């Protein structure tokens, strides 16, 4: 089937100044949708790519045929509001667009196709219900996505319906409607070919593309297909009938066998289908009708109920609201309407998706209120029509960068007001052509009667022109364009052959926009409109390249905390804990320190790293003692998630373990340095054990075991005897304290030297030609300076007197002779304060 003929566009306003558009804060939109003769897409008969699921053209012969013809009616509107569910009919709308506004492409194309004559066969019942795909974590009504019911009626019966339901009259409450009861769906498998969607991809499927045999839908990447669209009158009645009683084209397509096939195929691939309900306010009469609807609680409830019934009966998965722009003064009422629609959907079943469309300029849309809990799940931003037919200079209709207000500015403006997870950036699968004064980039616009009007062109048309004339690239606005001549003939001006420039988006420029979606972590991307790519595969491939993966394997994370228990109490021991982690692939994510539900600190992390924490939280306060967790949560490029938790303890029960003095010499049995005291502090009651070991770990003595001690400072004095009453050899010993409280067990250690002198050699292992410096500390007061002898292997011993440094410290230096590697001895003698000789020897390795 070829695309239906494009009707001539309605009369448009003259050029609108960009400043006026900014003041109006509304979308700079496309205003012409009928394509010029040389830019029409024409018939397309190519076969689809093998990886793309087509919309089948075979329809059941037994289905009734419904011919949809939209004709304006001149019947007067009722003076008062009708019953809650009367039959909606199309009303005339011949007034001009409101001055200062430039309609969107969605409006323009809806108007251009309003009188299409399309034969739709009535469809059967949707038999395959929707179930979410594995990896779909995007919330619906604040909760995880869930399975939904299949159809409640045939499409043919829905097409014939009046009063908002396929039944004779809609019930006053959907809660009273008997719905099929279905068990919860099992955990779904990945989609076709194992595809996992990383983002939501929301594509509009207009009824004129539904009827086109060249339209192809790739369910691997599409998460939502929005059928576009059905309208409403000001009383909240869905526009189902023309004045002659025939179905409106939008309603006939809604009940068609083609859409039944699309819905079943979509559900089989875990793709949602939703109904777009549109009510425009670009003209004065449209704005008055929209204001009448939104300002009436009765009308809002009526439309919400009728739309919910349409969703229930057709077996689809939600509603998209295309109200553009919002009529003056109706922002709050629109937010209320969104919440009313949510409430009516929830009466059927939880889990229906609800979105609404906005222009690139936020304008009066009540973003926060309409997306608050109980409202919409996401906003579809129409990220196109940034240039119009009457623009002074031509260029991209969707500039990523480079203009006073571009797509990057748009996304930043929206993300400043609502979470990025609620934003879908719509991109164009079409472009716009202008007549220009030259072939230079962003040339002057001379479109008009003489040189030819500006028109839009679908992607396939743009690529046909590229094949003929070549592709150019605008590096400032990051979009392609094509330049060519096109003859334009009129009675007034004869035939002229001006330059023509068509700016559009292709796979390269769209990937850059999708990179922005990923970089800003938006919910996803959207498309106006499905079918505009014809049989060409590259636009779907661009989506797959950026938003689809076939990787279902979660990252492997290793992590650790050293020490497993730390004590930031200022005693210099275990004051900090060091966390390390590594992942087996590139990831993004967060590291958190938490205690139960309390998060003390958060860091953004990558594939590997180290974090040192001193116990201070993000407010500058010390964390409380207890069991904590170092939590690593990461996602790979396929959004596979891994959470790894490492427990550790913050325990300040015991601290400040110390020896005083740290060097003592009981071996000469005099009154000098006969003992050392080990002390510690408790911050809470604990059961304690204090023992002494050698550095090698051999047991020496128990001071006490399993003694309950309270808050305070405690000590033990050691005189150098082991548990058997024998004096210990000279050397290093370690005090080991264990303190067990309700938090856990803390183990602290501190060493003490039992000897006459402590010696520090620098360097520890000297080489020939170096100077060996020895710093001595005496355990006892001395009456004379230490005499130090240095003897290398095979060399004469050298003796020197150490120099006093103060504080019980002495220093002496020796020249190390070359050629005498091996063990060298150091001997120290001195007299203590009582005149007794203190001596000590040690070995140093010469390299």
């Amino acid at each position: 089937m070829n695309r239906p003929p494009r009707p001539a566009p309605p009369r448009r306003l003259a050029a609108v100044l960009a400043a006026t558009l900014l003041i109006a804060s509304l979308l700079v939109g496309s205003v012409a949708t009928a394509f010029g003769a040389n830019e029409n897409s024409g018939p397309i008969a190519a076969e689809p790519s093998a990886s793309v699921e087509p919309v089948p053209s075979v329809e059941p012969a037994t289905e009734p045929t419904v011919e949809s013809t939209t004709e304006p009616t001149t019947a007067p509107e009722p003076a008062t509001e009708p019953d809650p569910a009367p039959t909606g009919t199309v009303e005339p709308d011949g007034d001009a667009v409101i001055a200062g506004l430039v309609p969107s492409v969605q409006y323009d194309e809806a108007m251009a196709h309003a009188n299409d004559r399309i034969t739709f066969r009535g469809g059967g019942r949707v038999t395959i219900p929707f179930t979410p795909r594995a990896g779909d974590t995007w919330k619906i009504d604040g909760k995880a996505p869930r399975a939904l019911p299949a159809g409640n009626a045939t499409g043919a019966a829905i097409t014939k319906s009046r009063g908002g339901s396929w039944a004779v009259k809609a019930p006053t409450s959907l809660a009273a409607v008997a719905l099929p009861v279905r068990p919860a769906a099992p955990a779904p498998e990945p989609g076709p070919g194992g595809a996992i969607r990383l983002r939501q991809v929301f594509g509009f499927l207009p009824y004129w593309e539904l009827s086109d045999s060249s339209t192809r839908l790739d369910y691997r990447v599409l998460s939502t297909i929005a059928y576009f669209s059905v309208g409403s009158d000001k009383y909240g009645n869905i526009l189902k009938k023309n004045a002659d009683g025939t179905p409106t084209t939008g309603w006939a397509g809604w009940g068609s066998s083609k859409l039944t096939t699309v819905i079943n195929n979509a559900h089989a691939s875990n793709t949602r289908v939703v109904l777009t309900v549109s009510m425009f306010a670009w003209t004065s009469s449209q704005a008055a009708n929209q204001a009448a609807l939104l300002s009436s609680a009765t009308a809002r409830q009526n439309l919400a109920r009728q739309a919910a019934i349409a969703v229930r009966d057709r077996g689809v998965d939600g509603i998209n609201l295309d109200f553009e722009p919002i009529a003056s003064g109706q922002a709050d009422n629109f937010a209320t309407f969104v919440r009313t629609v949510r409430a009516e959907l929830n009466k059927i079943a939880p889990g229906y998706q609800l979105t609404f469309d906005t222009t690139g300029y936020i304008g009066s849309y009540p973003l926060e209120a309409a997306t608050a809990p109980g409202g919409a799940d996401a906003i579809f931003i129409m990220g196109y029509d940034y240039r119009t037919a009457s623009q002074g200079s031509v260029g991209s209709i969707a500039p990523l960068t480079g203009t006073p207000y571009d797509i990057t500015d748009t996304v930043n403006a929206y993300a400043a007001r609502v979470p990025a997870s609620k934003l879908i950036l719509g991109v164009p699968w079409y472009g716009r052509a202008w007549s220009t004064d030259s072939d230079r980039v962003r040339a002057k616009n001379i479109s008009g009667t003489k040189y030819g009007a500006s028109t839009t062109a679908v992607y396939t048309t743009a690529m046909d022109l590229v094949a003929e004339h070549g592709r150019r690239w605008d590096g400032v606005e990051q979009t392609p364009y094509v330049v060519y001549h096109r003859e334009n003939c009129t009675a007034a001006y004869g035939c002229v052959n001006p330059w023509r420039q068509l700016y559009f988006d292709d796979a390269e420029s769209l990937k850059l926009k999708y990179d922005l979606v990923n970089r800003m972590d938006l919910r996803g991307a959207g498309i106006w409109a499905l079918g505009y790519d014809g049989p060409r595969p590259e636009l779907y491939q661009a989506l797959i390249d950026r938003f689809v993966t076939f990787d279902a394997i979660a990252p492997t994370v290793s992590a650790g905390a050293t020490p497993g228990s730390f004590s930031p109490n200022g005693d210099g021991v275990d004051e900090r804990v060091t966390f390390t982690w590594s992942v087996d692939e590139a990831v993004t994510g967060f590291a958190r320190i938490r205690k139960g539900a309390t998060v003390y600190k958060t860091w953004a992390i990558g594939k590997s790293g180290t974090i040192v924490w001193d116990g201070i939280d993000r407010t500058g306060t010390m964390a409380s003692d207890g069991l904590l967790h170092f939590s690593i949560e990461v996602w790979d490029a396929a959004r596979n998630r891994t959470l790894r938790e490492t427990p550790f303890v913050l325990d300040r029960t015991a601290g400040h373990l110390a020896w005083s003095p740290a060097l003592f010499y009981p071996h000469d049995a005099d009154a000098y340095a006969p003992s050392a005291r080990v002390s510690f502090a408790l911050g809470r009651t604990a059961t304690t054990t204090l023992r002494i070991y050698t550095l090698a770990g051999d047991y020496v003595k128990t001071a006490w075991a399993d003694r309950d001690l309270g808050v305070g400072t405690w000590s033990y004095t050691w005189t150098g005897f082991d548990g058997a009453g024998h004096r210990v050899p000279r050397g290093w010993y370690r005090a080991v304290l264990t303190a067990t409280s309700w938090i856990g067990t803390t183990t602290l250690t501190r060493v003490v030297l039992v000897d006459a002198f402590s010696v520090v050699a620098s360097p520890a292992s000297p080489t020939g030609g170096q100077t060996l410096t020895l710093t001595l500390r005496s355990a006892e007061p001395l009456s004379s300076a230490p005499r130090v002898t240095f003897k290398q292997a095979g060399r004469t011993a050298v003796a020197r007197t150490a120099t006093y440094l103060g504080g019980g410290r002495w220093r002496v230096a020796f020249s190390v002779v070359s050629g005498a590697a091996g063990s060298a001895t150091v001997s120290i003698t001195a007299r203590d304060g009582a005149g007794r000789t203190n001596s000590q020897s040690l070995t140093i390795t010469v390299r």
Side-chain angles (χ1 to χ4, degrees):
M1 180 186 296
N2 295 335
R3 282 189 173 81
R6 310 281 187 182
R11 185 185 305 274
R12 305 295 182 211
L13 293 176
V16 180
L17 295 176
T20 304
L21 296 178
L22 289 172
I23 294 172
S25 295
L26 292 169
L27 174 67
V28 180
S30 167
V31 297
T33 58
F35 306 126
N38 291 343
E39 290 158 3
N40 194 357
S41 58
I44 300 176
E47 291 297 322
S49 166
S51 64
V52 180
E53 293 291 331
V55 178
S57 58
V58 178
E59 300 169 2
T62 57
E63 301 282 3
T65 298
V66 181
E67 183 172 296
S68 170
T69 308
T70 306
E71 297 290 346
T73 177
T74 57
E77 300 175 1
T80 59
E81 292 193 8
D83 291 336
T87 301
T89 57
V90 176
E91 300 174 358
D93 182 19
D95 57 342
V97 173
I98 297 171
L101 302 185
V102 180
S104 72
V105 68
Q106 290 172 211
Y107 166 77
D108 273 333
E109 297 205 5
M111 295 300 101
H113 289 277
N115 294 316
D116 285 359
R117 298 177 61 89
I118 303 173
T119 299
F120 284 114
R121 295 176 181 171
R125 184 175 72 87
V126 171
T127 57
I128 301 177
F130 169 77
T131 56
R133 183 176 296 188
D136 184 358
T137 59
W138 302 103
K139 292 184 177 180
I140 299 295
D141 198 18
K143 302 177 182 66
R146 56 184 295 165
L148 294 169
N152 211 37
T154 67
I158 291 171
T159 301
K160 296 176 181 178
S161 68
R162 299 171 61 86
S165 172
W166 66 277
V168 175
K169 187 174 180 62
T172 57
S173 172
L174 292 180
V177 178
L179 296 175
V181 178
R182 292 180 172 81
E189 297 298 324
I196 300 171
R197 305 186 190 107
L198 308 181
R199 304 279 170 187
Q200 299 282 283
V201 176
F202 187 109
F204 282 103
L205 178 60
Y207 60 76
W208 54 89
E209 293 299 327
L210 174 67
S211 67
D212 195 306
S213 62
S214 69
T215 297
R216 300 292 184 267
L217 303 175
D218 191 334
Y219 299 114
R220 292 175 301 172
V221 67
L222 292 171
S223 60
T224 300
I225 297 171
Y227 173 78
F228 188 88
S229 72
V230 298
S232 170
D233 65 19
K234 65 182 180 181
Y235 305 110
N237 300 308
I238 289 178
L239 297 177
K240 300 180 178 181
K241 303 294 181 184
N242 299 307
D244 62 0
T246 58
T248 61
T249 312
W251 189 247
W254 176 244
S256 67
S257 63
K258 279 187 173 291
L259 191 60
T260 298
T261 301
V262 168
I263 299 169
N264 279 327
N265 286 346
H267 287 175
S269 298
N270 312 103
T271 297
R272 292 181 180 88
V273 178
V274 300
L275 171 63
T276 298
V277 178
S278 57
M279 195 172 195
F280 301 111
W282 296 109
T283 71
S284 57
S285 67
Q286 290 173 352
N289 286 341
Q290 191 194 90
L293 168 71
L294 292 177
S295 61
S296 167
T298 301
R300 292 195 303 263
Q301 184 71 39
N302 188 38
L303 180 54
R305 180 179 292 117
Q306 289 195 22
I309 292 171
V311 165
R312 177 203 69 183
D313 291 347
R314 200 68 173 101
V316 296
D317 318 304
I319 291 173
N320 168 257
L321 299 173
D322 190 16
F323 278 52
E324 52 171 283
I326 301 298
S328 178
Q330 296 302 314
D332 291 343
N333 286 331
F334 177 73
T336 300
F337 173 59
V338 171
R339 299 174 69 83
T340 303
V341 174
R342 167 66 70 197
E344 291 298 325
L345 288 171
N346 285 346
K347 289 177 182 179
I348 304 170
Y352 284 102
Q353 185 188 85
L354 178 58
T355 58
F356 64 91
D357 309 333
T358 62
T359 55
Y361 293 92
I362 295 174
S364 61
Y365 283 99
L367 306 185
E368 296 88 345
T371 56
D377 301 305
I379 299 167
F380 183 100
I381 305 169
M382 295 186 287
Y384 32 78
D385 294 329
Y386 287 70
R387 279 188 176 86
T388 67
S390 55
Q391 214 66 37
S393 62
V394 305
S396 174
I397 61 168
L400 182 62
T401 55
T403 60
Y405 190 79
D406 50 43
I407 283 179
T408 302
D409 297 321
T410 295
V411 171
N412 286 331
Y414 274 86
R417 291 183 53 180
V418 297
S421 62
K422 295 185 176 183
L423 298 176
I424 299 171
L425 176 63
V427 298
W429 281 12
Y430 72 96
R432 175 170 286 280
W434 293 267
S435 298
T436 60
D437 67 344
S438 71
D439 69 337
R440 72 181 186 277
V441 65
R442 299 187 299 281
K444 180 180 178 181
N445 177 17
I446 61 171
S447 302
T449 304
K450 179 177 181 179
Y451 296 108
S454 172
T455 61
T456 56
V458 297
Y459 175 73
T460 51
T461 297
M463 294 307 294
D464 288 344
L465 290 168
V466 166
E468 184 177 355
H469 303 285
R471 174 184 181 272
R472 300 188 186 186
W473 179 260
D474 182 349
V476 173
E477 298 185 356
Q478 302 192 63
T479 49
Y481 65 107
V482 57
V483 179
Y484 54 99
H485 282 288
R486 192 187 76 169
E487 185 177 62
N488 190 67
C489 297
T490 61
Y493 300 103
C495 291
V496 295
N497 194 33
W499 286 106
R500 193 81 171 163
Q501 292 192 22
L502 169 60
Y503 288 77
F504 64 102
D505 275 279
D506 62 7
E508 179 182 358
S509 63
L510 289 172
K511 284 182 182 180
L512 296 176
K513 294 176 172 66
Y514 300 153
D515 289 340
L516 175 65
V517 170
N518 286 328
R519 189 165 59 249
M520 294 292 290
D521 199 23
L522 304 188
R523 189 181 188 99
I527 301 159
W528 181 267
L530 299 174
Y532 286 1
D533 59 335
R536 301 185 67 100
E538 58 266 24
L539 298 193
Y540 277 121
Q541 188 59 49
L543 289 164
I544 291 170
D545 290 346
R546 291 300 187 264
F547 299 145
V548 172
T549 183
F550 298 90
D551 173 15
I553 301 174
T556 299
V557 177
S558 60
T562 304
S565 176
F566 83 118
S567 176
N569 55 8
D571 67 356
V573 179
D574 293 335
E575 295 291 325
R576 294 172 175 80
V577 58
T578 299
F579 305 110
T580 58
W581 75 93
S582 63
V583 191
D584 64 344
E585 59 179 312
V587 292
T588 57
F590 298 94
R592 297 180 178 89
I593 295 173
R594 67 170 186 83
K595 182 181 181 182
T598 301
V599 176
Y600 286 124
K601 209 147 188 180
T602 301
W603 297 266
I605 63 170
K607 183 177 180 180
S608 63
T610 299
I611 292 172
V612 178
W613 188 48
D614 59 3
I616 304 297
D617 69 11
R618 59 179 176 271
T619 67
T621 304
M622 176 62 69
S624 60
D625 287 9
L627 178 66
L628 286 75
H629 285 84
F630 177 60
S631 176
I632 293 283
E633 186 176 17
V634 294
W635 297 265
D636 63 14
R639 293 188 68 84
N640 297 307
R641 171 181 173 272
T642 296
L643 175 65
R644 174 70 181 269
E645 302 242 288
T646 301
F648 67 100
V649 175
L650 192 162
D651 188 357
R652 290 169 293 174
T653 298
H656 299 274
L657 182 69
W659 283 98
S660 181
L663 168 68
F664 76 108
Y665 186 49
H667 290 70
D668 60 357
D670 60 17
Y672 298 120
S675 63
R677 183 169 58 91
V678 59
S679 62
F680 59 91
L682 291 180
R684 62 177 54 85
T685 298
T687 301
T688 64
T689 297
L690 179 64
R691 291 190 172 97
I692 298 173
Y693 297 86
T694 67
L695 281 187
D698 298 326
Y699 170 75
V700 174
K701 186 181 180 78
T702 297
W704 66 76
D706 298 329
R707 180 181 295 180
D708 292 334
L709 301 177
V711 176
T713 300
W714 303 89
S715 64
Y716 168 75
T717 299
W718 186 40
T719 58
F721 290 90
D722 63 17
H726 302 122
R727 191 176 300 280
V728 298
R730 298 185 186 194
W732 290 95
Y733 294 85
R734 176 186 293 114
V736 177
L737 171 72
T738 60
T740 303
S741 68
W742 63 267
I743 295 173
T745 298
T746 297
T747 300
L748 299 176
T749 68
R750 182 70 73 176
V751 296
V752 65
L753 177 60
V754 179
D755 214 331
F757 301 94
S758 68
V759 182
V760 176
S762 179
S765 298
T767 60
Q770 286 186 319
T771 297
L772 171 65
T773 301
L774 301 175
T775 302
L776 318 178
R777 182 181 295 275
S778 174
E780 299 181 347
L782 300 179
S783 61
S784 63
R787 185 71 173 171
V788 182
T789 302
F790 177 59
K791 175 71 169 62
Q792 289 183 253
R795 295 289 190 269
T796 303
V798 178
R800 289 197 173 96
T801 300
T803 302
Y804 187 58
L805 301 176
R809 293 185 309 127
W810 308 78
R811 179 168 295 165
V812 65
F814 298 93
S815 296
V816 179
V817 177
S818 300
S823 295
T825 59
V826 174
S827 301
I828 307 168
T829 60
R831 293 187 179 274
D832 64 16
R836 288 183 291 271
T837 300
N838 290 348
S839 63
Q840 183 174 327
S841 63
L842 64 150
T843 301
I844 291 177
T845 301
V846 176
R847 293 180 289 115

